Amino acid sequence: MKPELLAPAGDLERLKIAFIYGADAVYIGGPALGLRANAINFTFEEIKEGCDYAHKLNKKVHVTVNIVLHNQEIKLVKDYLKKLEDCGVDAVIISDPAIIEIALSETKMDVHLSTQASTLNYETCLFWQKLGVKRIVLGRELSKEEIKEIIDKVNIEIEVFIHGAMCAGISGRCVLSNLLTNRDANRGGCSQICRWDFNLLDENKNLLEGTKPFTFCAKDLSEMPYIPDMINLGITSFKIEGRMRSIYYIATVVDTYRRTIDAYLKHPETYKYNEYYDNILRTCANRDAIPQFFNGLNDETTQYYNGRVEISNQDFLGIVLDYNEETNIATIEQRNYFKKGDIVEIFGPNIDIITYQINDIWDENNNLIEIVRHPKQIVKLRINEKLFKNNLLRIKRFDKNNNM
């Protein structure tokens, strides 16, 4: 069975990039009742535009309605869900049983149970199945064997996270943010306390000499080595975390998993794990990424305790706006500094990954220049291999033998 590749999208640009780079569906936040209060989120007009765009490609849009509901919001739910349905939304992702009941009785949208419900066993899956939920987004704290047992015992769609940030709480159920900043993590206001540095104190509350700051921070999730196993389990949907991530992150992660999934499904007998792709994933984020609970080896290596360094990623160099096949000239919008002589990679869904050394660079007025360093500067490069709009340029860090 071919799994759905489900990507995050924080706005219309990222929604379109996710689909262009191979996502089968996206999940987004609407103007209310979601768990990313600090994200831009979509207006109803943008949701409709996104759904229209998706449906023309025979793809789907899911909307998060997974807030922990208080009295003041309950009166909004029915009208809000109706508006989402009118926009063409395919599914809503919900954790609150009351919202689930309203969605099932008042709309025809599919209902997916959010990971916020912390579903970790097959009896709970059977309970939600009887209520009419179509899909369950399992908690991230399950091993391969536990997921298999659930799939074997329950006739319901199963969605599993394959990539992205992890939470120090069980499937996002955390109150550290509430306690220390009065921002409710379960209502969209998480201040990511788990990523803060804390001083270690002795019993008298004195700073312990020679100690480094302590953090609860979990390493990111990456199931890249286990994609064949996950496909063979019969998981319905592979979910990528990151609605607040950049278009470069979305494009890179979606493209890499798309290539990996398709490669295995095309030739499962001869498929070989591609460490080059794994390294590409590691360079597009600023935290280490590991399989976490899936391989059953959840131990002290899954977290950062101290000494963590997060460096802002500067690998994304530019996006292709146009390519002239007669002149082999690509028009590029710059996103980070690059210069003549740099060796870069160009990637996208319509091409094999291209290694290219930057030679002549022309600005918008056709003047030769040596360096591209102005934000979103438009430049032209002569590239003999055919490119397509929305192909991306990045720094080349590895060769196909994984040497840096």
Side-chain angles (χ1 to χ4, degrees):
M1 181 182 74
K2 184 176 182 179
E4 172 189 83
L5 183 57
L6 176 60
D11 56 26
L12 277 170
E13 181 186 29
R14 283 173 278 186
L15 177 147
K16 293 176 181 179
I17 285 290
F19 285 136
I20 289 167
Y21 276 77
D24 300 302
V26 297
Y27 64 100
I28 66 175
L33 307 183
L35 278 179
R36 286 293 183 270
N38 296 324
I40 298 172
N41 292 319
F42 284 67
T43 64
F44 288 119
E45 292 76 14
E46 289 170 332
I47 293 173
K48 186 178 187 314
E49 182 178 342
C51 289
D52 290 344
Y53 181 87
H55 295 159
K56 288 177 182 177
L57 300 172
N58 198 29
K59 300 188 177 189
K60 294 183 177 182
V61 175
H62 309 164
V63 175
T64 58
V65 192
N66 54 352
I67 191 173
V68 173
L69 216 63
H70 284 219
N71 288 334
Q72 62 265 30
E73 287 106 13
I74 195 68
K75 65 177 75 72
L76 305 175
V77 172
K78 181 177 177 180
D79 181 60
Y80 183 69
L81 292 173
K82 287 283 193 183
K83 287 181 178 178
L84 293 180
E85 185 175 35
D86 290 342
C87 290
V89 170
D90 298 285
V92 280
I93 306 167
I94 306 172
S95 60
D96 191 299
I99 306 179
I100 289 174
E101 184 177 45
I102 294 169
L104 289 171
S105 62
E106 300 292 340
T107 80
K108 295 181 180 179
M109 293 182 292
D110 289 340
V111 172
H112 297 175
L113 184 71
S114 171
T115 192
Q116 296 296 122
S118 300
T119 304
L120 301 173
N121 66 80
Y122 61 81
E123 288 289 356
T124 302
C125 293
L126 288 169
F127 170 82
W128 291 113
Q129 181 183 337
K130 290 175 183 176
L131 260 62
V133 170
K134 183 173 182 180
R135 177 185 296 185
I136 293 176
V137 188
L138 294 178
R140 295 174 175 90
E141 298 78 26
L142 289 169
S143 68
K144 172 185 174 180
E145 292 73 22
E146 290 172 312
I147 295 171
K148 183 180 187 306
E149 187 172 11
I150 288 172
I151 291 173
D152 287 346
K153 291 180 182 265
V154 183
N155 185 24
I156 194 170
E157 292 185 3
I158 294 296
E159 182 174 302
V160 172
F161 279 93
I162 61 166
H163 200 88
M166 293 288 290
C167 180
I170 294 179
S171 291
R173 293 192 171 195
C174 176
V175 294
L176 284 173
S177 180
N178 308 53
L179 179 67
L180 296 180
T181 66
N182 202 31
R183 287 170 52 182
D184 194 334
N186 298 299
R187 290 170 60 77
C190 182
S191 51
Q192 298 192 337
I193 302 300
C194 58
R195 307 205 189 281
W196 290 14
D197 289 333
F198 294 88
N199 291 325
L200 292 176
L201 309 179
D202 63 18
E203 64 272 15
N204 298 315
K205 297 186 178 180
N206 296 315
L207 182 66
L208 285 170
E209 294 186 11
T211 59
K212 295 180 180 180
F214 175 82
T215 176
F216 300 96
C217 181
K219 295 179 181 179
D220 282 359
L221 170 71
S222 175
E223 302 292 9
M224 176 59 71
Y226 295 98
I227 288 302
D229 293 332
M230 300 187 85
I231 292 173
N232 292 333
L233 283 176
I235 295 168
T236 307
S237 181
F238 290 177
K239 187 171 193 172
I240 298 165
E241 182 276 338
R243 280 194 284 134
M244 298 177 73
R245 300 277 195 166
S246 68
I247 66 165
Y248 173 68
Y249 179 90
I250 300 299
T252 302
V253 175
V254 171
D255 181 70
T256 305
Y257 276 102
R258 178 81 280 155
R259 290 174 188 268
T260 301
I261 292 166
D262 291 350
Y264 176 73
L265 290 173
K266 187 175 182 179
H267 298 294
E269 312 84 8
T270 57
Y271 171 82
K272 186 178 179 180
Y273 174 54
N274 193 325
E275 292 188 8
Y276 173 71
Y277 287 166
D278 194 77
N279 284 326
I280 291 298
L281 290 178
R282 292 179 186 279
T283 60
C284 76
N286 54 16
R287 286 188 294 269
D288 193 15
I290 59 175
Q292 292 289 354
F293 292 84
F294 186 82
N295 61 5
L297 297 176
N298 189 262
D299 55 22
E300 73 280 359
T301 64
T302 65
Q303 279 185 255
Y304 294 101
Y305 292 101
N306 48 41
R308 184 178 100 260
V309 176
E310 294 187 3
I311 301 172
S312 178
N313 186 284
Q314 303 293 313
D315 282 7
F316 179 25
L317 300 180
I319 183 168
V320 175
L321 301 180
D322 183 57
Y323 183 78
N324 188 317
E325 293 186 59
E326 294 183 2
T327 61
N328 296 332
I329 295 294
T331 303
I332 310 292
E333 182 182 84
Q334 179 262 23
R335 294 300 174 93
N336 274 302
Y337 166 98
F338 62 88
K339 66 184 185 304
K340 184 175 180 177
D342 284 349
I343 298 176
V344 303
E345 286 185 336
I346 307 168
F347 71 103
N350 310 104
I351 60 173
D352 292 330
I353 297 172
I354 297 168
T355 297
Y356 169 73
Q357 183 167 18
I358 296 174
N359 295 309
D360 292 331
I361 308 171
W362 293 271
D363 65 15
E364 284 188 280
N365 298 316
N366 295 319
N367 298 310
L368 281 169
I369 58 176
E370 299 282 319
I371 300 172
V372 184
R373 56 186 167 196
H374 303 299
K376 293 192 174 183
Q377 184 176 359
I378 305 299
V379 297
K380 299 175 183 178
L381 306 174
R382 178 170 281 114
I383 302 171
N384 291 331
E385 297 190 59
K386 183 179 178 180
L387 303 183
F388 297 86
K389 183 179 179 180
N390 293 313
N391 288 164
L392 301 185
L393 280 72
R394 66 186 173 210
I395 294 172
K396 181 174 176 58
R397 294 194 178 275
F398 304 95
D399 61 29
K400 293 301 175 67
N401 296 314
N402 297 303
N403 298 311
M404 292 190 72

